[in-house]
Amino acid sequence: LESADCVLTFRGHSSFVKSLALLNSNHFLSGSRDRTIKLWMVGLDDCLSTFEGHADIISSIVPFGRNRFVSGSHDKTMKFWDVSSRSCLRTMYGHTGSVKSLTRVGDSEHLVISGSDDRTIRLWDVSTGECLREFGSRAAIVFSVTFICEGFFISCGGGKIQLWHMPSGSCVQSYDTPRISLAVACVDDERFITGSDRMLHMWEF
């Protein structure tokens, strides 16, 4: 990078921004404590569209193709949106606590995983709104879920990181952490990184 300067500032939300997602190469989405989701064009500081319907903070956004996305909120719901019509196609109910994190299942056009304050992880079919499976023992709040490869995803919650096998619904590996992990990202097929209070940790699968 030649410069570390900010090149553009996007204004429009009335409270802090909690989530961001790249919709395509030219557009991105932002979710806020102001209960709205906004669509922006890269390089243009004017908001293109505002999506309203959630009753609380927008905690996570996951794109599905170039014109649709799923949002998770502290209002305990998930919504499936169409950008072209600016409408909510479906609302998914089931969690009894804030939805903290979402991850799309690979290149699937209809599967998403959610993690929640209610200490559950759920697999959803966004085309029907149906919850297909519930994972976990309800032992701790789930702060983050991340799809890693075909059939597997990672969750962070409490003092553990867990590797899950989706077809069987079972935890196949568990890692004890010195601090509560709030976020996880894959490095490659052999390693991943978690973030906690002031620290990052690298792990091997």
Side-chain angles (χ1 to χ4, degrees):
L1 296 176
E2 295 181 0
S3 172
D5 296 334
C6 174
V7 296
L8 192 61
T9 299
F10 301 84
R11 294 182 173 89
H13 285 295
S14 60
S15 188
F16 67 76
V17 175
K18 182 67 169 61
S19 52
L20 293 169
L22 190 65
L23 185 64
N24 53 55
S25 59
N26 295 314
H27 301 87
F28 68 95
L29 297 155
S30 59
S32 169
R33 186 184 180 185
D34 67 13
R35 307 176 186 180
T36 70
I37 302 160
K38 293 185 179 291
L39 174 68
W40 310 84
M41 179 179 286
V42 176
L44 181 67
D45 59 0
D46 291 330
C47 173
L48 301 180
S49 297
T50 299
F51 301 84
E52 298 179 283
H54 279 297
D56 210 330
I57 297 170
I58 314 300
S59 54
S60 188
I61 302 170
V62 174
F64 274 78
R66 294 179 59 85
N67 289 299
R68 291 184 175 183
F69 65 93
V70 176
S71 58
S73 171
H74 285 201
D75 67 9
K76 309 174 187 178
T77 71
M78 299 158 53
K79 291 182 180 291
F80 188 34
W81 303 87
D82 182 79
V83 174
S84 298
S85 63
R86 303 181 184 180
S87 62
C88 176
L89 303 177
R90 187 165 290 103
T91 301
M92 286 156 278
Y93 303 91
H95 282 298
T96 57
S98 301
V99 178
K100 289 286 194 182
S101 179
L102 300 173
T103 187
R104 182 178 175 180
V105 178
D107 295 326
S108 171
E109 294 297 323
H110 58 95
L111 295 179
V112 67
I113 297 168
S114 60
S116 170
D117 266 2
D118 66 11
R119 306 187 177 195
T120 69
I121 302 165
R122 297 172 185 258
L123 174 66
W124 303 84
D125 184 334
V126 298
S127 65
T128 64
E130 180 184 2
C131 177
L132 303 177
R133 184 186 289 274
E134 183 179 315
F135 304 84
S137 59
R138 296 178 179 260
I141 291 173
V142 181
F143 289 104
S144 179
V145 288
T146 303
F147 177 83
I148 55 170
C149 64
E150 186 64 34
F152 293 91
F153 71 91
I154 292 175
S155 68
C156 293
K160 291 186 179 295
I161 305 160
Q162 294 178 299
L163 176 62
W164 297 91
H165 182 239
M166 282 187 293
S168 66
S170 61
C171 175
V172 296
Q173 182 70 48
S174 184
Y175 307 81
D176 292 322
T177 62
R179 287 180 169 85
I180 295 174
S181 295
L182 302 177
V184 59
C186 287
V187 177
D188 50 37
D189 292 340
E190 299 179 352
R191 299 168 298 171
F192 63 95
I193 294 173
T194 57
S196 59
D197 180 20
R198 297 176 294 172
M199 292 188 179
L200 299 168
H201 300 275
M202 183 175 290
W203 308 79
E204 291 184 345
F205 289 113

PDB file of all heavy atoms in Angstrom, residues 60 62 99-104 112-116 120-122 135 142-148 153-157 162 164 182-185:
ATOM      1  N   SER A  60     -24.933  -8.999  12.024  1.00  0.00           N
ATOM      2  CA  SER A  60     -24.217  -9.758  10.997  1.00  0.00           C
ATOM      3  C   SER A  60     -24.974  -9.706   9.674  1.00  0.00           C
ATOM      4  O   SER A  60     -26.213  -9.670   9.653  1.00  0.00           O
ATOM      5  CB  SER A  60     -24.064 -11.220  11.455  1.00  0.00           C
ATOM      6  OG  SER A  60     -23.227 -11.940  10.590  1.00  0.00           O
ATOM      7  N   VAL A  62     -24.754 -11.504   5.625  1.00  0.00           N
ATOM      8  CA  VAL A  62     -24.132 -12.483   4.731  1.00  0.00           C
ATOM      9  C   VAL A  62     -24.750 -12.373   3.339  1.00  0.00           C
ATOM     10  O   VAL A  62     -25.964 -12.559   3.183  1.00  0.00           O
ATOM     11  CB  VAL A  62     -24.315 -13.922   5.261  1.00  0.00           C
ATOM     12  CG1 VAL A  62     -23.788 -14.929   4.257  1.00  0.00           C
ATOM     13  CG2 VAL A  62     -23.594 -14.093   6.592  1.00  0.00           C
ATOM     14  N   VAL A  99     -29.015 -12.786  17.768  1.00  0.00           N
ATOM     15  CA  VAL A  99     -28.205 -13.476  16.760  1.00  0.00           C
ATOM     16  C   VAL A  99     -26.874 -12.744  16.672  1.00  0.00           C
ATOM     17  O   VAL A  99     -26.817 -11.574  16.293  1.00  0.00           O
ATOM     18  CB  VAL A  99     -28.906 -13.508  15.388  1.00  0.00           C
ATOM     19  CG1 VAL A  99     -28.017 -14.176  14.345  1.00  0.00           C
ATOM     20  CG2 VAL A  99     -30.246 -14.226  15.491  1.00  0.00           C
ATOM     21  N   LYS A 100     -25.791 -13.424  17.031  1.00  0.00           N
ATOM     22  CA  LYS A 100     -24.476 -12.804  17.102  1.00  0.00           C
ATOM     23  C   LYS A 100     -23.696 -12.891  15.794  1.00  0.00           C
ATOM     24  O   LYS A 100     -22.939 -11.992  15.445  1.00  0.00           O
ATOM     25  CB  LYS A 100     -23.650 -13.480  18.205  1.00  0.00           C
ATOM     26  CG  LYS A 100     -24.099 -13.168  19.612  1.00  0.00           C
ATOM     27  CD  LYS A 100     -23.704 -11.758  19.998  1.00  0.00           C
ATOM     28  CE  LYS A 100     -23.829 -11.520  21.479  1.00  0.00           C
ATOM     29  NZ  LYS A 100     -23.479 -10.132  21.847  1.00  0.00           N
ATOM     30  N   SER A 101     -23.861 -14.015  15.076  1.00  0.00           N
ATOM     31  CA  SER A 101     -22.988 -14.262  13.929  1.00  0.00           C
ATOM     32  C   SER A 101     -23.701 -15.129  12.897  1.00  0.00           C
ATOM     33  O   SER A 101     -24.535 -15.978  13.243  1.00  0.00           O
ATOM     34  CB  SER A 101     -21.708 -14.959  14.405  1.00  0.00           C
ATOM     35  OG  SER A 101     -20.848 -15.243  13.324  1.00  0.00           O
ATOM     36  N   LEU A 102     -23.365 -14.898  11.625  1.00  0.00           N
ATOM     37  CA  LEU A 102     -23.874 -15.702  10.511  1.00  0.00           C
ATOM     38  C   LEU A 102     -22.712 -16.113   9.627  1.00  0.00           C
ATOM     39  O   LEU A 102     -21.735 -15.383   9.490  1.00  0.00           O
ATOM     40  CB  LEU A 102     -24.865 -14.899   9.659  1.00  0.00           C
ATOM     41  CG  LEU A 102     -26.132 -14.366  10.315  1.00  0.00           C
ATOM     42  CD1 LEU A 102     -26.876 -13.470   9.329  1.00  0.00           C
ATOM     43  CD2 LEU A 102     -27.028 -15.506  10.767  1.00  0.00           C
ATOM     44  N   THR A 103     -22.839 -17.284   9.010  1.00  0.00           N
ATOM     45  CA  THR A 103     -21.873 -17.700   7.995  1.00  0.00           C
ATOM     46  C   THR A 103     -22.602 -18.497   6.921  1.00  0.00           C
ATOM     47  O   THR A 103     -23.448 -19.340   7.227  1.00  0.00           O
ATOM     48  CB  THR A 103     -20.719 -18.520   8.610  1.00  0.00           C
ATOM     49  OG1 THR A 103     -19.727 -18.759   7.608  1.00  0.00           O
ATOM     50  CG2 THR A 103     -21.186 -19.846   9.179  1.00  0.00           C
ATOM     51  N   ARG A 104     -22.304 -18.194   5.690  1.00  0.00           N
ATOM     52  CA  ARG A 104     -22.889 -18.930   4.575  1.00  0.00           C
ATOM     53  C   ARG A 104     -22.181 -20.270   4.424  1.00  0.00           C
ATOM     54  O   ARG A 104     -20.969 -20.373   4.628  1.00  0.00           O
ATOM     55  CB  ARG A 104     -22.735 -18.117   3.294  1.00  0.00           C
ATOM     56  CG  ARG A 104     -23.347 -18.744   2.056  1.00  0.00           C
ATOM     57  CD  ARG A 104     -23.170 -17.807   0.875  1.00  0.00           C
ATOM     58  NE  ARG A 104     -23.621 -18.382  -0.377  1.00  0.00           N
ATOM     59  CZ  ARG A 104     -23.560 -17.758  -1.547  1.00  0.00           C
ATOM     60  NH1 ARG A 104     -23.075 -16.540  -1.617  1.00  0.00           N
ATOM     61  NH2 ARG A 104     -23.992 -18.350  -2.645  1.00  0.00           N
ATOM     62  N   VAL A 112     -27.450 -21.249   5.525  1.00  0.00           N
ATOM     63  CA  VAL A 112     -26.707 -20.328   6.381  1.00  0.00           C
ATOM     64  C   VAL A 112     -26.700 -20.872   7.806  1.00  0.00           C
ATOM     65  O   VAL A 112     -27.651 -21.541   8.228  1.00  0.00           O
ATOM     66  CB  VAL A 112     -27.323 -18.909   6.335  1.00  0.00           C
ATOM     67  CG1 VAL A 112     -28.706 -18.877   6.957  1.00  0.00           C
ATOM     68  CG2 VAL A 112     -26.415 -17.897   7.005  1.00  0.00           C
ATOM     69  N   ILE A 113     -25.620 -20.605   8.544  1.00  0.00           N
ATOM     70  CA  ILE A 113     -25.489 -21.032   9.937  1.00  0.00           C
ATOM     71  C   ILE A 113     -25.514 -19.788  10.814  1.00  0.00           C
ATOM     72  O   ILE A 113     -24.906 -18.766  10.485  1.00  0.00           O
ATOM     73  CB  ILE A 113     -24.176 -21.803  10.156  1.00  0.00           C
ATOM     74  CG1 ILE A 113     -24.167 -23.085   9.325  1.00  0.00           C
ATOM     75  CG2 ILE A 113     -23.976 -22.142  11.640  1.00  0.00           C
ATOM     76  CD1 ILE A 113     -22.806 -23.751   9.248  1.00  0.00           C
ATOM     77  N   SER A 114     -26.204 -19.881  11.947  1.00  0.00           N
ATOM     78  CA  SER A 114     -26.296 -18.759  12.879  1.00  0.00           C
ATOM     79  C   SER A 114     -25.826 -19.172  14.273  1.00  0.00           C
ATOM     80  O   SER A 114     -26.018 -20.310  14.697  1.00  0.00           O
ATOM     81  CB  SER A 114     -27.740 -18.246  12.969  1.00  0.00           C
ATOM     82  OG  SER A 114     -28.607 -19.277  13.421  1.00  0.00           O
ATOM     83  N   GLY A 115     -25.213 -18.221  14.984  1.00  0.00           N
ATOM     84  CA  GLY A 115     -24.815 -18.408  16.376  1.00  0.00           C
ATOM     85  C   GLY A 115     -25.476 -17.343  17.223  1.00  0.00           C
ATOM     86  O   GLY A 115     -25.612 -16.192  16.783  1.00  0.00           O
ATOM     87  N   SER A 116     -25.859 -17.697  18.458  1.00  0.00           N
ATOM     88  CA  SER A 116     -26.714 -16.792  19.223  1.00  0.00           C
ATOM     89  C   SER A 116     -26.374 -16.709  20.703  1.00  0.00           C
ATOM     90  O   SER A 116     -25.700 -17.571  21.268  1.00  0.00           O
ATOM     91  CB  SER A 116     -28.177 -17.250  19.069  1.00  0.00           C
ATOM     92  OG  SER A 116     -29.050 -16.577  19.953  1.00  0.00           O
ATOM     93  N   THR A 120     -27.143 -21.488  21.249  1.00  0.00           N
ATOM     94  CA  THR A 120     -27.350 -22.495  20.218  1.00  0.00           C
ATOM     95  C   THR A 120     -26.739 -22.046  18.899  1.00  0.00           C
ATOM     96  O   THR A 120     -26.526 -20.853  18.648  1.00  0.00           O
ATOM     97  CB  THR A 120     -28.849 -22.789  19.971  1.00  0.00           C
ATOM     98  OG1 THR A 120     -29.465 -21.640  19.359  1.00  0.00           O
ATOM     99  CG2 THR A 120     -29.563 -23.135  21.262  1.00  0.00           C
ATOM    100  N   ILE A 121     -26.475 -23.041  18.052  1.00  0.00           N
ATOM    101  CA  ILE A 121     -26.041 -22.843  16.672  1.00  0.00           C
ATOM    102  C   ILE A 121     -27.093 -23.522  15.801  1.00  0.00           C
ATOM    103  O   ILE A 121     -27.500 -24.654  16.086  1.00  0.00           O
ATOM    104  CB  ILE A 121     -24.670 -23.480  16.416  1.00  0.00           C
ATOM    105  CG1 ILE A 121     -23.615 -22.904  17.372  1.00  0.00           C
ATOM    106  CG2 ILE A 121     -24.235 -23.282  14.964  1.00  0.00           C
ATOM    107  CD1 ILE A 121     -22.348 -23.722  17.442  1.00  0.00           C
ATOM    108  N   ARG A 122     -27.534 -22.845  14.764  1.00  0.00           N
ATOM    109  CA  ARG A 122     -28.604 -23.396  13.923  1.00  0.00           C
ATOM    110  C   ARG A 122     -28.238 -23.333  12.445  1.00  0.00           C
ATOM    111  O   ARG A 122     -27.611 -22.367  11.994  1.00  0.00           O
ATOM    112  CB  ARG A 122     -29.925 -22.660  14.169  1.00  0.00           C
ATOM    113  CG  ARG A 122     -30.460 -22.821  15.597  1.00  0.00           C
ATOM    114  CD  ARG A 122     -31.658 -21.922  15.856  1.00  0.00           C
ATOM    115  NE  ARG A 122     -32.090 -21.992  17.238  1.00  0.00           N
ATOM    116  CZ  ARG A 122     -33.156 -22.695  17.674  1.00  0.00           C
ATOM    117  NH1 ARG A 122     -33.884 -23.378  16.802  1.00  0.00           N
ATOM    118  NH2 ARG A 122     -33.483 -22.709  18.946  1.00  0.00           N
ATOM    119  N   PHE A 135     -27.157 -27.331  16.664  1.00  0.00           N
ATOM    120  CA  PHE A 135     -25.887 -27.887  17.128  1.00  0.00           C
ATOM    121  C   PHE A 135     -25.610 -27.410  18.554  1.00  0.00           C
ATOM    122  O   PHE A 135     -26.033 -26.329  18.944  1.00  0.00           O
ATOM    123  CB  PHE A 135     -24.722 -27.415  16.245  1.00  0.00           C
ATOM    124  CG  PHE A 135     -24.866 -27.718  14.789  1.00  0.00           C
ATOM    125  CD1 PHE A 135     -25.590 -26.870  13.957  1.00  0.00           C
ATOM    126  CD2 PHE A 135     -24.276 -28.851  14.229  1.00  0.00           C
ATOM    127  CE1 PHE A 135     -25.714 -27.128  12.604  1.00  0.00           C
ATOM    128  CE2 PHE A 135     -24.392 -29.119  12.880  1.00  0.00           C
ATOM    129  CZ  PHE A 135     -25.116 -28.259  12.061  1.00  0.00           C
ATOM    130  N   VAL A 142     -22.709 -18.137  21.910  1.00  0.00           N
ATOM    131  CA  VAL A 142     -21.935 -18.330  20.679  1.00  0.00           C
ATOM    132  C   VAL A 142     -21.652 -16.957  20.069  1.00  0.00           C
ATOM    133  O   VAL A 142     -22.563 -16.268  19.620  1.00  0.00           O
ATOM    134  CB  VAL A 142     -22.696 -19.217  19.678  1.00  0.00           C
ATOM    135  CG1 VAL A 142     -21.862 -19.433  18.425  1.00  0.00           C
ATOM    136  CG2 VAL A 142     -23.060 -20.549  20.323  1.00  0.00           C
ATOM    137  N   PHE A 143     -20.382 -16.565  20.071  1.00  0.00           N
ATOM    138  CA  PHE A 143     -20.008 -15.246  19.570  1.00  0.00           C
ATOM    139  C   PHE A 143     -19.717 -15.241  18.076  1.00  0.00           C
ATOM    140  O   PHE A 143     -19.891 -14.218  17.415  1.00  0.00           O
ATOM    141  CB  PHE A 143     -18.776 -14.738  20.325  1.00  0.00           C
ATOM    142  CG  PHE A 143     -19.041 -14.362  21.751  1.00  0.00           C
ATOM    143  CD1 PHE A 143     -18.642 -15.180  22.785  1.00  0.00           C
ATOM    144  CD2 PHE A 143     -19.700 -13.190  22.054  1.00  0.00           C
ATOM    145  CE1 PHE A 143     -18.884 -14.836  24.107  1.00  0.00           C
ATOM    146  CE2 PHE A 143     -19.953 -12.825  23.377  1.00  0.00           C
ATOM    147  CZ  PHE A 143     -19.548 -13.661  24.408  1.00  0.00           C
ATOM    148  N   SER A 144     -19.254 -16.370  17.542  1.00  0.00           N
ATOM    149  CA  SER A 144     -18.837 -16.374  16.145  1.00  0.00           C
ATOM    150  C   SER A 144     -18.978 -17.764  15.537  1.00  0.00           C
ATOM    151  O   SER A 144     -18.709 -18.769  16.204  1.00  0.00           O
ATOM    152  CB  SER A 144     -17.386 -15.910  16.035  1.00  0.00           C
ATOM    153  OG  SER A 144     -16.941 -15.920  14.698  1.00  0.00           O
ATOM    154  N   VAL A 145     -19.435 -17.809  14.292  1.00  0.00           N
ATOM    155  CA  VAL A 145     -19.461 -19.060  13.512  1.00  0.00           C
ATOM    156  C   VAL A 145     -18.823 -18.775  12.159  1.00  0.00           C
ATOM    157  O   VAL A 145     -19.042 -17.718  11.564  1.00  0.00           O
ATOM    158  CB  VAL A 145     -20.888 -19.621  13.325  1.00  0.00           C
ATOM    159  CG1 VAL A 145     -21.422 -20.197  14.621  1.00  0.00           C
ATOM    160  CG2 VAL A 145     -21.844 -18.563  12.783  1.00  0.00           C
ATOM    161  N   THR A 146     -18.007 -19.717  11.675  1.00  0.00           N
ATOM    162  CA  THR A 146     -17.292 -19.530  10.414  1.00  0.00           C
ATOM    163  C   THR A 146     -17.213 -20.841   9.650  1.00  0.00           C
ATOM    164  O   THR A 146     -16.692 -21.834  10.169  1.00  0.00           O
ATOM    165  CB  THR A 146     -15.856 -19.014  10.662  1.00  0.00           C
ATOM    166  OG1 THR A 146     -15.910 -17.800  11.408  1.00  0.00           O
ATOM    167  CG2 THR A 146     -15.133 -18.763   9.351  1.00  0.00           C
ATOM    168  N   PHE A 147     -17.728 -20.851   8.433  1.00  0.00           N
ATOM    169  CA  PHE A 147     -17.612 -22.019   7.552  1.00  0.00           C
ATOM    170  C   PHE A 147     -16.157 -22.131   7.106  1.00  0.00           C
ATOM    171  O   PHE A 147     -15.527 -21.128   6.756  1.00  0.00           O
ATOM    172  CB  PHE A 147     -18.524 -21.850   6.344  1.00  0.00           C
ATOM    173  CG  PHE A 147     -18.424 -22.975   5.340  1.00  0.00           C
ATOM    174  CD1 PHE A 147     -19.141 -24.144   5.519  1.00  0.00           C
ATOM    175  CD2 PHE A 147     -17.606 -22.845   4.221  1.00  0.00           C
ATOM    176  CE1 PHE A 147     -19.051 -25.180   4.598  1.00  0.00           C
ATOM    177  CE2 PHE A 147     -17.511 -23.872   3.296  1.00  0.00           C
ATOM    178  CZ  PHE A 147     -18.235 -25.045   3.489  1.00  0.00           C
ATOM    179  N   ILE A 148     -15.608 -23.361   7.122  1.00  0.00           N
ATOM    180  CA  ILE A 148     -14.195 -23.511   6.740  1.00  0.00           C
ATOM    181  C   ILE A 148     -13.989 -24.367   5.491  1.00  0.00           C
ATOM    182  O   ILE A 148     -13.122 -24.073   4.673  1.00  0.00           O
ATOM    183  CB  ILE A 148     -13.347 -24.057   7.901  1.00  0.00           C
ATOM    184  CG1 ILE A 148     -13.905 -25.373   8.438  1.00  0.00           C
ATOM    185  CG2 ILE A 148     -13.229 -23.025   9.013  1.00  0.00           C
ATOM    186  CD1 ILE A 148     -12.967 -26.061   9.412  1.00  0.00           C
ATOM    187  N   PHE A 153     -17.567 -26.413  10.049  1.00  0.00           N
ATOM    188  CA  PHE A 153     -17.500 -25.018  10.458  1.00  0.00           C
ATOM    189  C   PHE A 153     -16.958 -24.936  11.883  1.00  0.00           C
ATOM    190  O   PHE A 153     -16.919 -25.927  12.616  1.00  0.00           O
ATOM    191  CB  PHE A 153     -18.869 -24.333  10.356  1.00  0.00           C
ATOM    192  CG  PHE A 153     -19.883 -24.772  11.378  1.00  0.00           C
ATOM    193  CD1 PHE A 153     -20.018 -24.110  12.599  1.00  0.00           C
ATOM    194  CD2 PHE A 153     -20.718 -25.857  11.122  1.00  0.00           C
ATOM    195  CE1 PHE A 153     -20.947 -24.515  13.543  1.00  0.00           C
ATOM    196  CE2 PHE A 153     -21.658 -26.262  12.059  1.00  0.00           C
ATOM    197  CZ  PHE A 153     -21.775 -25.596  13.268  1.00  0.00           C
ATOM    198  N   ILE A 154     -16.534 -23.729  12.269  1.00  0.00           N
ATOM    199  CA  ILE A 154     -15.978 -23.478  13.598  1.00  0.00           C
ATOM    200  C   ILE A 154     -16.902 -22.529  14.355  1.00  0.00           C
ATOM    201  O   ILE A 154     -17.463 -21.590  13.782  1.00  0.00           O
ATOM    202  CB  ILE A 154     -14.578 -22.840  13.508  1.00  0.00           C
ATOM    203  CG1 ILE A 154     -13.566 -23.836  12.946  1.00  0.00           C
ATOM    204  CG2 ILE A 154     -14.095 -22.356  14.868  1.00  0.00           C
ATOM    205  CD1 ILE A 154     -12.196 -23.223  12.721  1.00  0.00           C
ATOM    206  N   SER A 155     -17.039 -22.765  15.655  1.00  0.00           N
ATOM    207  CA  SER A 155     -17.761 -21.834  16.521  1.00  0.00           C
ATOM    208  C   SER A 155     -16.869 -21.402  17.679  1.00  0.00           C
ATOM    209  O   SER A 155     -15.994 -22.151  18.123  1.00  0.00           O
ATOM    210  CB  SER A 155     -19.041 -22.473  17.070  1.00  0.00           C
ATOM    211  OG  SER A 155     -18.739 -23.516  17.984  1.00  0.00           O
ATOM    212  N   CYS A 156     -17.087 -20.169  18.155  1.00  0.00           N
ATOM    213  CA  CYS A 156     -16.382 -19.645  19.332  1.00  0.00           C
ATOM    214  C   CYS A 156     -17.410 -19.283  20.386  1.00  0.00           C
ATOM    215  O   CYS A 156     -18.398 -18.597  20.095  1.00  0.00           O
ATOM    216  CB  CYS A 156     -15.599 -18.390  18.977  1.00  0.00           C
ATOM    217  SG  CYS A 156     -14.207 -18.638  17.870  1.00  0.00           S
ATOM    218  N   GLY A 157     -17.179 -19.714  21.606  1.00  0.00           N
ATOM    219  CA  GLY A 157     -18.081 -19.384  22.700  1.00  0.00           C
ATOM    220  C   GLY A 157     -17.546 -19.885  24.016  1.00  0.00           C
ATOM    221  O   GLY A 157     -16.953 -20.968  24.087  1.00  0.00           O
ATOM    222  N   GLN A 162     -14.852 -24.773  18.846  1.00  0.00           N
ATOM    223  CA  GLN A 162     -15.281 -26.111  18.464  1.00  0.00           C
ATOM    224  C   GLN A 162     -15.377 -26.249  16.951  1.00  0.00           C
ATOM    225  O   GLN A 162     -15.832 -25.349  16.253  1.00  0.00           O
ATOM    226  CB  GLN A 162     -16.628 -26.443  19.109  1.00  0.00           C
ATOM    227  CG  GLN A 162     -16.538 -26.550  20.634  1.00  0.00           C
ATOM    228  CD  GLN A 162     -17.864 -26.839  21.284  1.00  0.00           C
ATOM    229  OE1 GLN A 162     -18.806 -26.070  21.169  1.00  0.00           O
ATOM    230  NE2 GLN A 162     -17.959 -27.968  21.977  1.00  0.00           N
ATOM    231  N   TRP A 164     -17.104 -28.345  14.006  1.00  0.00           N
ATOM    232  CA  TRP A 164     -18.342 -29.111  13.845  1.00  0.00           C
ATOM    233  C   TRP A 164     -18.415 -29.789  12.480  1.00  0.00           C
ATOM    234  O   TRP A 164     -17.984 -29.219  11.476  1.00  0.00           O
ATOM    235  CB  TRP A 164     -19.546 -28.196  13.995  1.00  0.00           C
ATOM    236  CG  TRP A 164     -19.670 -27.571  15.339  1.00  0.00           C
ATOM    237  CD1 TRP A 164     -19.155 -26.369  15.745  1.00  0.00           C
ATOM    238  CD2 TRP A 164     -20.348 -28.108  16.484  1.00  0.00           C
ATOM    239  NE1 TRP A 164     -19.471 -26.130  17.049  1.00  0.00           N
ATOM    240  CE2 TRP A 164     -20.200 -27.165  17.531  1.00  0.00           C
ATOM    241  CE3 TRP A 164     -21.069 -29.290  16.706  1.00  0.00           C
ATOM    242  CZ2 TRP A 164     -20.747 -27.384  18.793  1.00  0.00           C
ATOM    243  CZ3 TRP A 164     -21.613 -29.496  17.962  1.00  0.00           C
ATOM    244  CH2 TRP A 164     -21.448 -28.556  18.988  1.00  0.00           C
ATOM    245  N   LEU A 182     -13.840 -14.172  20.500  1.00  0.00           N
ATOM    246  CA  LEU A 182     -14.971 -13.443  19.939  1.00  0.00           C
ATOM    247  C   LEU A 182     -15.054 -13.537  18.424  1.00  0.00           C
ATOM    248  O   LEU A 182     -16.101 -13.269  17.843  1.00  0.00           O
ATOM    249  CB  LEU A 182     -14.887 -11.968  20.343  1.00  0.00           C
ATOM    250  CG  LEU A 182     -14.851 -11.690  21.849  1.00  0.00           C
ATOM    251  CD1 LEU A 182     -14.695 -10.192  22.095  1.00  0.00           C
ATOM    252  CD2 LEU A 182     -16.112 -12.205  22.529  1.00  0.00           C
ATOM    253  N   ALA A 183     -13.949 -13.893  17.772  1.00  0.00           N
ATOM    254  CA  ALA A 183     -13.936 -13.940  16.305  1.00  0.00           C
ATOM    255  C   ALA A 183     -12.951 -14.990  15.834  1.00  0.00           C
ATOM    256  O   ALA A 183     -11.991 -15.316  16.534  1.00  0.00           O
ATOM    257  CB  ALA A 183     -13.561 -12.573  15.735  1.00  0.00           C
ATOM    258  N   VAL A 184     -13.202 -15.523  14.632  1.00  0.00           N
ATOM    259  CA  VAL A 184     -12.323 -16.549  14.077  1.00  0.00           C
ATOM    260  C   VAL A 184     -12.193 -16.337  12.571  1.00  0.00           C
ATOM    261  O   VAL A 184     -13.136 -15.901  11.910  1.00  0.00           O
ATOM    262  CB  VAL A 184     -12.861 -17.973  14.382  1.00  0.00           C
ATOM    263  CG1 VAL A 184     -14.254 -18.163  13.809  1.00  0.00           C
ATOM    264  CG2 VAL A 184     -11.920 -19.052  13.877  1.00  0.00           C
ATOM    265  N   ALA A 185     -11.002 -16.612  12.037  1.00  0.00           N
ATOM    266  CA  ALA A 185     -10.762 -16.513  10.601  1.00  0.00           C
ATOM    267  C   ALA A 185      -9.790 -17.610  10.182  1.00  0.00           C
ATOM    268  O   ALA A 185      -8.816 -17.890  10.886  1.00  0.00           O
ATOM    269  CB  ALA A 185     -10.189 -15.147  10.235  1.00  0.00           C
TER     270      ALA A 185
END
